[in-house]
Structure formats: structure tokens, C-alpha cells
Amino acid sequence: MDVRGARVLLTGATGGIGRELARALAACGGQVIVTGRRADRLEALAEQIGGTAVPADLGDRDALAPLVASAGEVDVFIANAAVAAFGFLHDYSIAEIDHALDVNLRAPMVLGRLIGERMAERGSGHLVFVSSLCGKAASGQASVYNATKFGLRGFAQALREDLRPFGVGVSAVFPGFVRDVGLVADAEVPLPRWIGTRSARDVARATLKAIRCDLGEIDVAPVWLRVAAALGAALPGPAIAAQRRVAPPITAALARHHGKSADRHGKSWRAGVAAADDLDHRDRAPRRRGRGRRLT
């Protein structure tokens, strides 16, 4: 699909990747409608790119239908908004879990349903869901975030097949570590030099490519990281064991940045984990089988 002249609705536009996406879409001739919670930043961005600002809080379930109504007929929808949800599940309240699910997964699904229906009736359009490599391979201290991103991938894959007969494309974008903006940059996470990063502009270029070429999925990461994510999806057990030395410091730093410090668990939490590991080890020990043994 050609972005030039298309009406594009972009969520999470006030974030770092969102701003780069908005600029790239406008530069390609798109009529960009930006949405987000920060009305002042949203208005400034809309003025900068010659677009339209529609403030909305995707964590508010009642705000989704009015957002779609305000946007009007949309040719391209990009679900980019997300909240960080790193740390142990033990540290999250039920309300915080619900909020992460609402913004990262439910809102894209509901908006995809409302906007996708109109696109199917017209016989054209494209939906893009910005996920993460965390949606392909899990890591410790990211269970809530992984759940939302894994769910978004499955949703996009199935929706692509459902909307294919109606001429509507669906893509999922999977950024790895983004160095200049976003979660890792905001938290100032010290990444190893060899790990490899990409920029927000790279994410924007990949998103435009996904729309133009109707790609089901596109990764934005170095080759080795893309391969690692693929292996993580195919062989989750060995993959998680292999990345235990790399991922925990990164996810722990993200958790601390967002107020979910692993240190808060204290000795009782660590003791519980140690006990569980010990029990798992004992359960795996080989057992001898006796013949003619009677249970009493």
C-alpha cells in the first residue's frame, strides 16, 4: 500500500519511536493523525508535521470508540503505544497488570477490530502492530511485558489471515534494542558493545517497508539477534538458559527504572526461589523401580 495521500492513525505518537514514525509518515506524504496522552506534546508534533492531534488515553476503555470516530476513515493504522512492564510478577498489583494488558494488548485489538472492519468494507487498508523481539523470545523479569508482546504477535498473525480475503494487510514489527529513544534509552541501560542496536529511524523505515510490501512480520535488529529470537521461539528452554547471563542485567535495569526493583523482594523471595530450584532438582533425580513392591 502506498502511504502517499493515505490517512494514517498513529498511537503512542509522543514517545521516541512514535515521533520518528510520525515524521517519516509525513515525509512520505501521509496525512498523519497522531494520538497519545500528552496533549501539549501531541499538538506540537502535529503542528510540526502538518498533521492532526487527537488526544486519547488507551488505558481508558471508554476512549477507544471516540478515538476511532474522531479519526474518521483511516487507510493505515499503526498501533505503536505501549507501557513498560519489567520486573517480577510478584511486584505487580492486579491493577498494574490490567493496565499493561489494556494498553499493550487490548487497545490494539479493539482498535484493530473497529478500524479493520471499516477497511474490510472498503476492500483496502493496512494495520501495523509494533511488538518487540520480547514477543518472540521470553526472558526473566519481563513476564508481564512478554505476555503482552507474545499476545500481540499471535493476534496480528491470525488477523492477517482473516483480513486477507478482503484486501486488508496486517503487519507486525519487532524492534530489538533501540539505542537513541524508547525503553532502553530512557532507562540508560548499559548494553554490552557486542549486542548490537538499531535506531528509531530504522524502526520507522521497517514499518514503512512492511506497509508498502505487505509483509507479515519484520524484525529490526542485527542478524544474530534475529536468529537468537527465532531459536528462542522454537527452543524456549535452551534459549532462556543460554541468555541468563545477558538478559537479567538488562531487564533488571529496566525494572529499577520503572520502580520495580528486584532488590525489593528481600530474602524471603530469594529463599522461595532457591527452595523451588532445589525441589525441582530433587524431582529430576532418577528413581529406582522395585518389582513386586506393594504400596501400603
Side-chain angles (χ1 to χ4, degrees):
M1 184 173 182
D2 191 359
V3 175
R4 185 176 300 276
R7 286 179 61 83
V8 185
L9 175 60
L10 170 66
T11 70
T14 55
I17 292 176
R19 290 194 302 271
E20 196 63 46
L21 278 168
R23 296 187 186 108
L25 291 162
C28 291
Q31 303 173 26
V32 187
I33 305 163
V34 291
T35 184
R37 292 185 300 109
R38 305 167 187 173
D40 54 342
R41 296 188 182 184
L42 204 64
E43 293 288 349
L45 176 62
E47 183 177 355
Q48 182 185 81
I49 64 172
T52 305
V54 181
D57 181 0
L58 299 188
D60 179 2
R61 296 188 174 190
D62 295 330
L64 303 183
L67 171 60
V68 175
S70 298
E73 295 298 323
V74 173
D75 301 303
V76 177
F77 168 61
I78 303 177
N80 169 67
V83 296
F86 293 94
F88 292 106
L89 182 63
H90 177 81
D91 272 341
Y92 278 81
S93 67
I94 303 303
E96 288 173 325
I97 294 173
D98 285 340
H99 181 65
L101 290 170
D102 279 344
V103 176
N104 294 11
L105 185 57
R106 185 184 184 277
M109 292 179 67
V110 172
L111 292 172
R113 184 253 188 254
L114 296 175
I115 297 171
E117 182 178 21
R118 294 186 181 184
M119 291 180 175
E121 290 173 354
R122 298 196 309 269
S124 67
H126 203 97
L127 305 170
V128 181
F129 300 94
V130 180
S131 181
S132 165
L133 283 186
C134 288
K136 290 188 174 183
S139 59
Q141 299 186 49
S143 58
V144 178
Y145 191 72
N146 282 145
T148 62
K149 295 302 183 178
F150 266 69
L152 196 60
R153 185 191 189 194
F155 172 68
Q157 285 182 343
L159 188 62
R160 178 177 174 85
E161 181 62 21
D162 291 344
L163 293 180
R164 181 182 56 82
F166 299 95
V168 179
V170 179
S171 302
V173 180
F174 299 87
F177 297 106
V178 179
R179 59 178 172 267
D180 47 352
V181 296
L183 300 177
V184 173
D186 292 345
E188 298 181 348
V189 178
L191 296 175
R193 293 182 180 180
W194 52 265
I195 205 166
T197 60
R198 290 293 183 264
S199 68
R201 184 169 295 181
D202 293 328
V203 178
R205 287 172 181 159
T207 303
L208 288 170
K209 182 179 179 180
I211 297 169
R212 288 169 177 159
C213 302
D214 189 22
L215 302 178
E217 294 189 346
I218 186 167
D219 295 340
V220 191
V223 173
W224 82 267
L225 198 54
R226 299 201 301 267
V227 172
L231 290 175
L235 302 168
I240 290 177
Q243 51 85 18
R244 278 178 185 151
R245 292 186 178 182
V246 178
I250 298 172
T251 52
L254 289 168
R256 285 193 297 271
H257 178 72
H258 295 284
K260 301 296 178 183
S261 175
D263 296 336
R264 288 168 45 203
H265 289 296
K267 295 181 180 179
S268 60
W269 175 258
R270 292 192 179 92
V273 172
D277 287 343
D278 182 61
L279 180 61
D280 180 63
H281 176 73
R282 286 188 283 109
D283 284 345
R284 292 181 183 178
R287 296 178 181 178
R288 295 180 180 179
R289 296 182 180 180
R291 294 184 179 180
R293 190 174 180 180
R294 184 173 63 184
L295 300 177
T296 57

